[in-house]
Amino acid sequence: QSIHGEADFVCRFEPASVLDAGCGTGRVGIELARRGIEVVGVDLDEAMLAAARAKAPDLAWIAADLREVDVGRTFDVVVMPGNVMIFLAPGTEAEVVANMARHVSPGGRLIAGFQLRRGYELSRYDADCVAAGLELDARHSTWEGAPWKSGDDYAVTVHRHANVDTVS
């Protein structure tokens, strides 16, 4: 419902730093930065990044493929809003999840929200996360945190490193 629902959701985890993966024009990252969070945005689309840079020239915007990008550090939260997972080239999803998991700090979270039944199933996403060393922490049907129920058309999923015991 809220235009900043993704940022509101991410802020529940009180991150000091966020990697906005598939940042597009920067809507989510810019809002998170406005709230005092250190943000780095990554996207493959130069035109979208140009729009992000025009709106927030002081933020770090990186042109790169999510499969290969190496930001050189980790983040409290890596967020993939905006249906990033269903816009990836088919067959690259596991590579993207694995690379994004490498950018999550110990105790941090990987958060993704995407439409279901669009070619990339939630069971595959969960399996890709497990293969990347992540475990399911929470799942909702909206960015506002509505409870998840089987058959929903949208999922917001939170994973964390499987070997780190944290409290959210």
Side-chain angles (χ1 to χ4, degrees):
Q1 301 293 334
S2 166
I3 189 168
H4 297 302
E6 298 99 329
D8 295 342
F9 188 92
V10 167
C11 285
R12 294 177 186 181
F13 298 94
E14 302 179 353
S17 61
V18 171
L19 176 60
D20 184 0
C23 64
T25 61
R27 181 181 57 82
V28 175
I30 292 167
E31 178 61 20
L32 290 168
R34 189 188 68 75
R35 297 179 188 197
I37 299 168
E38 178 191 4
V39 175
V40 173
V42 176
D43 204 288
L44 190 57
D45 189 314
E46 285 284 1
M48 287 190 178
L49 284 172
R53 287 183 185 112
K55 292 187 273 185
D58 294 337
L59 294 183
W61 304 108
I62 300 170
D65 188 316
L66 295 179
R67 290 179 297 170
E68 302 166 349
V69 67
D70 181 357
V71 179
R73 57 169 288 196
T74 60
F75 297 83
D76 297 330
V77 169
V78 174
V79 64
M80 295 187 288
N83 287 304
V84 169
M85 293 307 299
I86 64 171
F87 290 121
L88 298 172
T92 66
E93 299 93 351
E95 292 174 85
V96 169
V97 169
N99 195 31
M100 293 303 97
R102 285 189 282 275
H103 286 86
V104 177
S105 298
R109 304 294 196 286
L110 173 65
I111 304 172
F114 57 94
Q115 292 287 328
L116 304 175
R117 296 186 267 307
R118 301 275 179 129
Y120 183 61
E121 298 296 327
L122 197 53
S123 60
R124 279 190 51 217
Y125 179 71
D126 287 342
D128 290 342
C129 286
V130 168
L134 302 173
E135 66 183 5
L136 183 64
D137 192 30
R139 177 164 289 137
H140 304 276
S141 63
T142 67
W143 286 101
E144 287 76 23
W148 166 258
K149 54 189 180 313
S150 182
D152 284 346
D153 291 331
Y154 193 86
V156 177
T157 303
V158 181
H159 281 84
R160 64 185 173 115
H161 285 289
N163 60 349
V164 178
D165 187 23
T166 61
V167 177
S168 60

